[in-house]
Amino acid sequence: EATTTFLPVEEPEVELGQPQNLTATNITATSMQLAWAMTTSYNDIRGYRVFYKHNSYEDIKTFDGQKPLFVLSGLVPYTQYKVWVVPVGVAGNAATGEASENILQTTDTAEPSAPFITNVTCYETQKIYIEWKRPKTFYKTVDYYYIYYKSGEESIYRDVQIQANADDDQRFFLEKDNLDVMKNYCLKICAGTKSTKSNQ
């Protein structure tokens, strides 16, 4: 009497390959766009795991999709990250491929926090003396300050840009021909940091 035996069919092992030419573009203070290429079939890929690390902090972003493109966000300004990518196989073959080579990329700077005005003194010689504290939070350096001023009768602020120095205490004489010693003035100070990725 004949018998029938069913043997399990093993799925062929799929080589997912290694992501090649990992690059980062469109870099901002908190994000970067990653792109890479695969030398094997994209049909065998369910998604990717993006690893990123700075100092002792390491995290993973996992996403589904075969397109080798990902915007890595939630980053810290002016921080160097080590980034690499690992492909993940389709359902039923959840194996991972070989990790890409690491790249190192530094995010852009971001705007500093607000300076703190500590003293404003008006002089009869059409001068206003201003002292302020450098922002408590800044990335890389504070490169310049904008001093905005207007009289109580004006609706639009005028401004003066000055170069910053590395001191915690900053000071400046605002001296303009159109300053009227008989008027009250409103002053604001804004700090700025130059971008490392553009000319701004």
Side-chain angles (χ1 to χ4, degrees):
E1 183 178 349
T3 59
T4 303
T5 302
F6 295 94
L7 299 176
V9 178
E10 294 186 1
E11 294 185 5
E13 185 176 345
V14 176
E15 293 288 341
L16 296 179
Q18 180 187 31
Q20 303 290 322
N21 302 321
L22 177 61
T23 57
T25 57
N26 298 332
I27 300 165
T28 71
T30 58
S31 68
M32 62 181 73
Q33 180 173 288
L34 303 173
W36 57 94
M38 297 299 299
T39 56
T40 53
S41 174
Y42 288 100
N43 294 330
D44 298 322
I45 295 174
R46 184 185 70 192
Y48 300 90
R49 292 174 184 164
V50 178
F51 296 78
Y52 58 107
K53 180 178 182 179
H54 73 89
N55 298 327
S56 60
Y57 175 84
E58 182 176 322
D59 204 352
I60 307 171
K61 301 282 189 182
T62 301
F63 71 98
D64 291 334
Q66 298 170 338
K67 190 173 182 180
L69 191 70
F70 183 72
V71 176
L72 182 59
S73 59
L75 307 179
V76 179
Y78 198 59
T79 300
Q80 186 182 74
Y81 284 89
K82 180 167 72 173
V83 183
W84 65 100
V85 176
V86 174
V88 180
V90 295
N93 179 34
T96 57
E98 187 177 351
S100 70
E101 293 186 356
N102 301 331
I103 62 169
L104 294 176
Q105 191 60 247
T106 302
T107 50
D108 199 2
T109 56
E111 63 274 9
S113 59
F116 180 73
I117 297 176
T118 56
N119 178 37
V120 176
T121 303
C122 298
Y123 293 89
E124 294 183 356
T125 54
Q126 293 184 315
K127 293 181 180 180
I128 299 178
Y129 177 70
I130 314 165
E131 291 182 343
W132 64 94
K133 293 286 187 181
R134 189 170 62 166
K136 290 184 177 181
T137 302
F138 61 91
Y139 303 94
K140 189 184 178 185
T141 58
V142 176
D143 295 308
Y144 54 86
Y145 292 98
Y146 278 106
I147 300 176
Y148 297 91
Y149 66 99
K150 70 180 183 70
S151 70
E153 302 171 353
E154 295 175 310
S155 59
I156 299 176
Y157 281 94
R158 287 169 281 181
D159 65 83
V160 175
Q161 181 181 344
I162 63 172
Q163 291 297 117
N165 58 48
D167 297 336
D168 185 47
D169 293 303
Q170 305 283 312
R171 53 188 59 86
F172 182 71
F173 272 105
L174 180 62
E175 184 176 7
K176 294 293 181 180
D177 293 338
N178 54 6
L179 289 178
D180 189 337
V181 296
M182 301 303 294
K183 292 182 179 180
N184 292 322
Y185 282 87
C186 179
L187 296 170
K188 298 192 298 184
I189 300 177
C190 176
T193 297
K194 294 179 181 178
S195 169
T196 61
K197 308 300 179 184
S198 68
N199 294 325
Q200 297 180 350

